[in-house]
Amino acid sequence: AMLFDHMVDLAQLLLLEGIAGYRAPSPHDTSMVIPSGSDRLWIPLVTMLGGLLSGFIVYRWAPEAEGHGTDAALAAYHTEAGEMRSRIPFVKAIASALTIGSGGVAGREGPTAQIAVGLGAIAGRWLGLRGQERRTLLLASMAAGLAAMFRAPLGMAIFAVEILYAGMVFESEALIYTVIAAVTAYAVYGFFNGWEPLFDFPEGLGLEHPFELVGYALLGILAGVVAALLPVLLYRARDLFLRMPGPPHIRPASGGLIVGLGAMAAPEILGTGYGWIELAVVGQLSLASVLILLLAKGPAMAITIGSGGSGGVFAAPVTLGAMLG
């Protein structure tokens, strides 16, 4: 997770900042640089370049690494007997770093899940594991990678065993292993990168009156509706891009170009959006930016990932939920 973080940061430094001159705020550094006027013409060129490079790498060496990665990680558990090609975590890391680092509207968490599951599959082969032992190792790997990225070890340990099924079912026998792996990965990540949570929240936040719970319940309903619309947008965008003629690596480049053209008018949509969440929490984000993110972040994510860009789908719903709040 640390290595992938550094790869994304390097790609952002070289592409989005180095060429387009755009630096988005981050959770622990809300300073930003937003180009103006004709300088914004570089933004769609960079997002298109990132999509083109990512698409070429993915479709040349590991087509399984396209998209958000979570589906592929679950497929390895359910239908591939815990198997995944050894090259996939490395191709996924490079392709996702290029997609996110060039401004693609995608998150780091989904790729981390597939990268971690791929490393778990490699470890399973080295150890000669078979059957449920190998699948359990994949769950522990997924929990570990996500725990480091989200800074939430116990939450990700539970997430890894319950994301496998549509209903209220989870792999209870794997929970002890996902907890051990997730806590260990979080400890390693924190030892090198610090122990602060993903977001810096102001002190003193809390429930002041029980009636506020009604408002939170209504917010939960609205957030559920918004979240239910995101998969529809994503898979309709994917279906549209699949009909596009020409080589497959052109699709992510086309998606990047469309997102980049939109970002010329609304640069807030680029990247994960976590820095904008931090600004919103401390009351430093304008209502106009909140509305732009709320209306445009979901479609931009659907275009980035639906076109075949390599990146995660966790970040966009987190950002949308924060803007809705």
Side-chain angles (χ1 to χ4, degrees):
M2 284 190 295
L3 179 59
F4 180 54
D5 253 353
H6 289 309
M7 291 172 66
V8 173
D9 291 341
L10 178 61
Q12 286 178 334
L13 183 65
L14 295 176
L15 296 173
L16 201 56
E17 293 185 35
I19 299 176
Y22 174 79
R23 187 179 72 205
S26 63
H28 301 293
D29 181 10
T30 54
S31 62
M32 67 188 86
V33 177
I34 300 178
S36 59
S38 60
D39 290 339
R40 291 194 180 185
L41 291 172
W42 289 101
I43 293 178
L45 295 177
V46 169
T47 53
M48 181 177 66
L49 176 63
L52 182 64
L53 293 174
S54 172
F56 176 79
I57 291 171
V58 164
Y59 292 109
R60 174 65 178 82
W61 284 289
E64 307 97 310
E66 73 164 348
H68 50 86
T70 313
D71 283 351
L74 299 185
Y77 181 90
H78 285 295
T79 64
E80 305 297 332
E83 273 293 348
M84 184 179 287
R85 289 199 294 167
S86 298
R87 69 176 67 179
I88 289 177
F90 308 102
V91 172
K92 186 68 176 180
I94 296 171
S96 296
L98 289 169
T99 298
I100 301 168
S102 63
V105 185
R108 307 182 186 207
E109 296 80 14
T112 303
Q114 189 175 8
I115 293 166
V117 166
L119 296 176
I122 293 172
R125 282 194 291 274
W126 285 350
L127 296 171
L129 301 182
R130 294 289 184 270
Q132 186 58 38
E133 283 187 333
R134 174 172 285 191
R135 288 194 291 269
T136 299
L137 187 61
L138 298 195
L139 296 184
S141 300
M142 181 192 297
L146 290 175
M149 198 61 75
F150 270 120
R151 326 283 205 275
L154 297 183
M156 292 303 104
I158 297 171
F159 174 84
V161 297
E162 63 87 24
I163 194 181
L164 297 169
Y165 305 105
M168 297 297 289
V169 181
F170 59 95
E171 294 288 339
S172 57
E173 69 275 6
L175 185 58
I176 182 64
Y177 306 110
T178 61
V179 169
I180 293 171
V183 171
T184 304
Y186 171 71
V188 172
Y189 192 97
F191 180 81
F192 289 100
N193 287 10
W195 303 100
E196 67 272 2
L198 189 57
F199 300 107
D200 291 328
F201 291 114
E203 295 183 2
L205 294 180
L207 188 69
E208 296 182 1
H209 192 280
F211 188 71
E212 293 176 12
L213 294 174
V214 177
Y216 289 124
L218 293 174
L219 179 61
I221 293 172
L222 289 173
V225 171
V226 172
L229 293 174
L230 287 178
V232 177
L233 284 174
L234 174 60
Y235 291 111
R236 286 189 177 176
R238 182 195 64 180
D239 293 342
L240 287 173
F241 278 102
L242 285 175
R243 299 193 193 107
M244 178 181 292
H249 60 269
I250 297 298
R251 296 199 297 264
S254 303
L257 177 61
I258 295 170
V259 169
L261 291 173
M264 289 180 65
E268 296 96 333
I269 66 174
L270 295 175
T272 63
Y274 286 169
W276 302 105
I277 294 176
E278 186 98 350
L279 289 171
V281 169
V282 298
Q284 296 179 5
L285 191 62
S286 68
L287 180 60
S289 293
V290 169
L291 292 175
I292 287 171
L293 285 165
L294 187 59
L295 295 175
K297 190 72 172 179
M301 180 273 291
I303 292 171
T304 297
I305 308 301
S307 65
S310 187
V313 293
F314 288 112
V318 171
T319 303
L320 287 173
M323 297 307 117
L324 192 64

